């Protein structure tokens, strides 16, 4: 069968790599892909913001299954466009993807269905925000300020006091620093605890939890600096205990799916729940409507069930008949980022040492923002350049392997966190 993967980052590199492991898959296409993906798949230069064009091309190419990595196309209705043409697609409809596309929708949805989350209020003017602070609804400061719409991980701010909160709110609502994404905002109680990501495959009825993963969102060691798309991740068999997993499934994931269904919406794809494990129990920080990046780079290498079988089961609504099997190994991913990331990113820097890094035992080098320049040299093309991933018998071995490979790659301004999966982190 022919498979199409939408996206061009480290997550999509891992998806393409894993999909190709099934004998049933004769060819993989990727739009737009990157320099690393191009070694495995046929890259297509199509704008991901054009859902109907993507669906038409997929039909012409005889694609039998399409999977979408990033959120933007889903929120724009790419799943609906494929479904209209009778094509099998893994990723929620536009209506279901609103769980990620609108934080206001997500929060109000959780309130309607009694899904545990931080106390919140929605506002559209600075005056409304001041009233909310005066009412002490959010229990003082710090508070979390979130832009309603998609902002590539840059729409969430933790404000330590009223003055800074109002500054951020002014920036969003009046100066429109994030454009339309910040036309409405959510103000939230600031939760404390350990963060974890919980992902499930679902065909709308059945669900299958993925191996738990932890990602590292802040730019600097010790969780300092700005929020990023993710600077690293790990997955190991003992990351989340079984009783907590059951609790999350029962009190959060299942009510989310049945809540959507009761509103006439079927979620088919990957539901990603970002959680804070507080002293009062798990609370939802956010929903994503897709696989995480870089979580995917550590989850898929541990998957023993053919990935394409799981994807087909999601699309066909036969997930209840599938059991996902996981290896007992641990996986660690260290993201190599460009100078200036996440605020800016130096690009066009030649990358060396890729072959050397790949020779390290257990290492999988997933390209993220890479391309070939006119001379054929692989150069950087964005913020998160490479997802250097390694499997190991345990977390310490996977970590040591990933860092050894990360050190072997060189490009000007290379940045990475040194504490991914460290016992102290
Ligand atoms: P989100 O995109 O909503 O997951 O937010 C990005 C990051 O902001 C999360 O991964 C958390 O680290 C932090 N965050 C979001 N909401 C809260 C909250 N209510 N309390 C504390 N931290 C939060
Ligand atoms: N790693 C966080 C995300 O994919 O949203």
């Amino acid at each position: 069968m022919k498979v199409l993967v939408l996206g061009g980052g480290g997550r999509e590199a891992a998806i393409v790599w894993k999909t190709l492991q099934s004998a049933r898959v004769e060819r993989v296409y990727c739009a737009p892909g990157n320099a690393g993906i191009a070694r495995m798949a046929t890259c297509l230069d199509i704008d991901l913001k054009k859902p109907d064009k993507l669906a038409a091309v997929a039909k012409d190419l005889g694609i039998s299954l399409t999977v979408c990595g990033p959120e933007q196309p889903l929120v724009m209705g790419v799943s609906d466009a494929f479904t209209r043409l009778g094509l099998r697609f893994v990723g929620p409809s536009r209506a279901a993807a609103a769980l990620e596309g609108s934080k206001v929708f997500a929060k109000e949805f959780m309130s309607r269905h009694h899904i545990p989350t931080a106390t919140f209020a929605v506002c559209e003017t600075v005056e409304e925000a001041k009233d909310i602070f005066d009412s002490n609804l959010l229990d003082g400061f710090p508070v979390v300020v979130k832009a309603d719409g998609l902002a590539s991980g840059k729409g969430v701010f933790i404000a330590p006091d009223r003055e800074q909160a109002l500054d951020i709110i002014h920036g969003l609502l009046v100066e429109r620093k994030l454009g339309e994404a910040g036309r409405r905002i959510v103000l939230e109680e600031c939760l404390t605890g350990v963060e974890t990501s919980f992902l499930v495959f679902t065909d709308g009825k059945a669900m299958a939890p993925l191996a738990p993963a932890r990602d590292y969102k802040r730019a600097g060691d010790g969780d300092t600096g700005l929020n990023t798309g993710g600077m690293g991740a790990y997955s190991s068999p003992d990351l989340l205990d079984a009783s907590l997993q059951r609790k999350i499934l029962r009190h959060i994931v299942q009510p989310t799916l049945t809540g959507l269904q009761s509103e006439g919406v079927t979620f088919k794809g990957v539901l990603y729940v970002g959680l804070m494990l507080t002293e009062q129990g798990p609370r939802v920080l956010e929903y994503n409507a897709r696989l995480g990046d870089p979580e995917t780079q550590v989850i898929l290498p541990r998957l023993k069930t053919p990935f394409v079988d799981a994807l087909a089961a999601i699309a066909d609504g036969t997930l209840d008949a599938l059991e996902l099997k996981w290896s007992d190994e641990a996986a660690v991913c260290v993201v190599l980022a460009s100078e200036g990331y996440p605020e800016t990113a130096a690009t066009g820097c030649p990358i060396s040492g890729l072959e050397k890094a790949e020779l390290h035992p257990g290492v999988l080098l997933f390209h993220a923002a890479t391309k070939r320049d006119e001379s054929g040299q692989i150069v950087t093309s964005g913020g998160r350049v490479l997802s250097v991933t390694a499997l190991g018998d345990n977390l310490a071995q996977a970590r040591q392997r990933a860092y050894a490979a990360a050190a072997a790659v060189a490009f000007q301004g290379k940045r990475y966190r040194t504490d991914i999966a460290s016992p102290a982190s």
Side-chain angles (χ1 to χ4, degrees):
M1 72 199 271
K2 291 181 187 169
V3 175
L4 170 63
V5 178
L6 303 182
R11 167 183 48 207
E12 290 75 25
I15 294 173
V16 168
W17 164 79
K18 193 71 187 176
T19 307
L20 278 165
Q21 289 181 355
S22 299
R24 286 167 69 191
V25 175
E26 70 192 75
R27 191 160 179 185
V28 176
Y29 294 84
C30 187
N34 60 40
I37 291 175
R39 292 184 308 180
M40 305 182 273
T42 307
C43 292
L44 306 170
D45 187 17
I46 313 173
D47 188 351
L48 289 187
K49 294 202 184 84
K50 299 202 165 131
D52 291 312
K53 168 101 191 283
L54 285 164
V57 170
K59 184 141 197 149
D60 282 350
L61 288 171
I63 302 286
S64 44
L65 188 64
T66 300
V67 53
C68 182
E71 60 277 16
Q72 185 96 47
L74 296 168
V75 170
M76 291 180 70
V78 71
S79 174
D80 311 71
F82 276 68
T83 309
R84 274 196 298 275
L85 293 191
L87 297 167
R88 294 198 299 171
F89 194 87
V90 179
S93 65
R94 182 188 178 127
L99 275 188
E100 174 163 9
S102 166
K103 295 209 188 276
V104 172
F105 173 81
K107 295 296 289 193
E108 291 176 343
F109 171 84
M110 284 187 265
S111 234
R112 282 197 292 283
H113 297 283
H114 312 289
I115 294 163
T117 186
T119 307
F120 74 101
V122 177
C123 60
E124 291 187 27
T125 66
V126 177
E127 287 315 307
E128 281 170 20
K130 284 183 182 163
D131 288 346
I132 292 160
F133 294 149
D134 290 341
S135 76
N136 210 25
L137 171 79
L138 305 176
D139 208 15
F141 290 87
V143 294
V144 185
V145 182
K146 298 183 173 182
D148 176 42
L150 293 182
S152 313
K154 292 171 194 151
V156 175
F157 308 86
I158 298 183
D161 54 41
R162 182 180 171 113
E163 194 186 335
Q164 292 184 57
L166 289 173
D167 239 25
I168 294 163
I169 293 166
H170 193 273
L172 291 171
L173 293 178
V174 182
E175 295 162 52
R176 289 286 163 90
K177 282 189 178 161
L178 290 176
E180 276 300 290
R183 196 177 60 75
R184 288 194 298 175
I185 57 171
V186 173
L187 301 178
E188 243 180 61
E189 157 201 23
C190 189
L191 300 173
T192 50
V194 174
E195 265 191 76
T196 190
S197 316
F198 196 83
L199 291 88
V200 297
F201 288 148
T202 176
D203 58 7
K205 306 182 294 282
M207 62 182 172
L210 303 192
R214 171 166 171 211
D215 90 336
Y216 292 71
K217 286 211 173 77
R218 306 287 283 270
D221 281 0
D223 282 337
T224 54
L226 294 173
N227 259 326
T228 70
M231 293 298 290
Y234 75 84
S235 176
S236 59
D238 50 2
L239 182 57
L240 205 58
D241 78 72
S243 83
L244 185 57
Q245 284 202 43
R246 279 196 298 275
K247 200 166 168 183
I248 294 169
L249 283 169
R250 181 138 84 198
H251 298 295
I252 292 174
V253 181
Q254 192 63 65
T256 301
L257 297 177
T258 46
L260 282 172
Q261 230 142 29
S262 73
E263 297 185 11
V265 175
T266 300
F267 192 107
K268 257 187 179 205
V270 183
L271 178 67
Y272 168 137
V273 190
L275 296 163
M276 186 74 89
L277 306 178
T278 73
E279 276 172 14
Q280 288 75 40
R283 299 279 181 275
V284 178
L285 292 176
E286 63 163 345
Y287 287 114
N288 292 321
R290 50 168 175 84
L291 284 162
D293 186 347
E295 290 93 325
T296 305
Q297 291 89 307
V298 291
I299 291 173
L300 291 186
R302 296 193 51 225
L303 178 64
K304 291 208 291 193
T305 311
F307 184 40
V308 78
D309 293 358
L311 295 175
I314 296 170
D316 298 341
T318 56
L319 201 58
D320 57 342
L322 189 92
E323 197 201 337
L324 295 181
K325 295 217 165 59
W326 302 96
S327 86
D328 289 335
E329 292 165 300
V332 172
C333 169
V334 177
V335 169
L336 304 186
S338 296
E339 186 163 9
Y341 180 74
E343 286 166 304
T344 57
T347 56
C349 304
I351 307 171
S352 62
L354 292 168
E355 295 81 11
K356 210 160 77 193
E358 269 176 324
L359 289 177
H360 285 257
V363 165
L364 300 159
L365 204 57
F366 297 124
H367 285 229
T370 65
K371 65 171 194 186
R372 283 190 193 272
D373 67 10
E374 309 81 61
S375 68
Q377 160 78 39
I378 295 184
V379 299
T380 62
S381 64
R384 292 189 291 170
V385 178
L386 290 156
S387 301
V388 183
T389 305
L391 281 163
D393 293 338
N394 52 50
L395 203 54
Q397 188 185 54
R399 176 168 199 273
Q400 183 273 326
R401 288 172 164 182
Y403 274 109
V409 176
F411 57 87
Q412 200 192 323
K414 178 179 92 169
R415 299 266 183 283
Y416 61 99
R417 278 183 66 159
T418 64
D419 62 347
I420 307 300
S422 83
S425 69

